[in-house]
Amino acid sequence: MKQPSLIKIHDKTFRIFLTEPELRKRIAEMGSSIKARFENKNPLFIVILNGAFMFASDLLKAVNIPCEIAFIRVSSYRGMESSGDLKESLDLQEDLRNRHVIVVEDIVDSGQTMAKLLDDFQAEQPASLSVASLLVKPEQMKTQVQIDFTGFEIPELFVVGYGLDYDGQGRYLKDIYQLKDD
Ligand code: IMP
Ligand code: MG
């Protein structure tokens, strides 16, 4: 069934932005790039929950090489931005030392979440540390973080769907929708 071009979540209207076939095509390309760099290196993907669950599922099938997967759950306290305060509510059991680590994220906005995570992971002395993010909002970036594998660079407008939520809703959508300014 074709997706509606407009949807309503809570009090906001969103319009279709990236369709399922567009996502699939781009994720296949990202998968090939990651495969080319990490084949025979048994990389460890660290998936940032909740938002990246759907992307990670499709990305790992597209990469299609022997690898391991771990999950970490992070909530950023956006009200306390100054400290970039992060709560990791799921501790990593995996040993990152000498591993090729690829962090899988749904979206990098200010970059504060990623910068903090990368610091923590780097301290564990991985063999390499890279980032795959489906979406990046370059205009919003406040910290310098290197995104090694980017799906789409997008403008500063709130998006939902394909794992991303608006106040808990919209994660199940197959396509990505963008806030409609009326
Ligand atoms: P950052 O620390 O500002 O880069 O925030 C990253 C986190 O904020 C992401 O992991 C998302 O959970 C959330 N986020 C940022 N922008 C959006 C958006 O447009 N839609 C949904 N969630 C977003
Ligand atoms: Mg997230």
Side-chain angles (χ1 to χ4, degrees), residues 5-83:
S5 56
L6 288 181
I7 55 162
K8 205 156 190 262
I9 299 178
H10 298 306
D11 54 329
K12 302 260 190 294
T13 305
F14 294 83
R15 71 158 71 86
I16 190 86
F17 179 52
L18 294 166
T19 64
E20 188 185 14
E22 290 170 326
L23 294 170
R24 197 184 309 123
K25 178 168 180 284
R26 184 67 189 127
I27 292 166
E29 292 166 358
M30 295 177 83
S32 302
S33 308
I34 293 172
K35 176 177 175 150
R37 200 180 306 173
F38 292 101
E39 195 157 25
N40 303 316
K41 291 184 174 167
N42 186 31
L44 172 64
F45 290 90
I46 301 181
V47 180
I48 314 300
L49 296 175
N50 293 336
F53 81 97
M54 205 178 275
F55 170 50
S57 166
D58 288 338
L59 181 69
L60 268 82
K61 286 179 277 182
V63 177
N64 195 31
I65 56 172
C67 65
E68 291 169 39
I69 308 165
F71 298 90
I72 188 169
R73 185 169 184 174
V74 171
S75 29
S76 51
Y77 292 98
R78 305 199 128 235
M80 299 193 233
E81 263 188 70
S82 55
S83 58

Side-chain angles (χ1 to χ4, degrees), residues 75-86 109-113 115-116 140-143 156:
S75 29
S76 51
Y77 292 98
R78 305 199 128 235
M80 299 193 233
E81 263 188 70
S82 55
S83 58
D85 216 357
L86 268 198
D109 185 9
S110 71
Q112 281 168 317
T113 305
K116 173 71 170 60
Q140 283 293 105
M141 281 238 216
K142 294 197 189 102
T143 38
E156 171 38 27

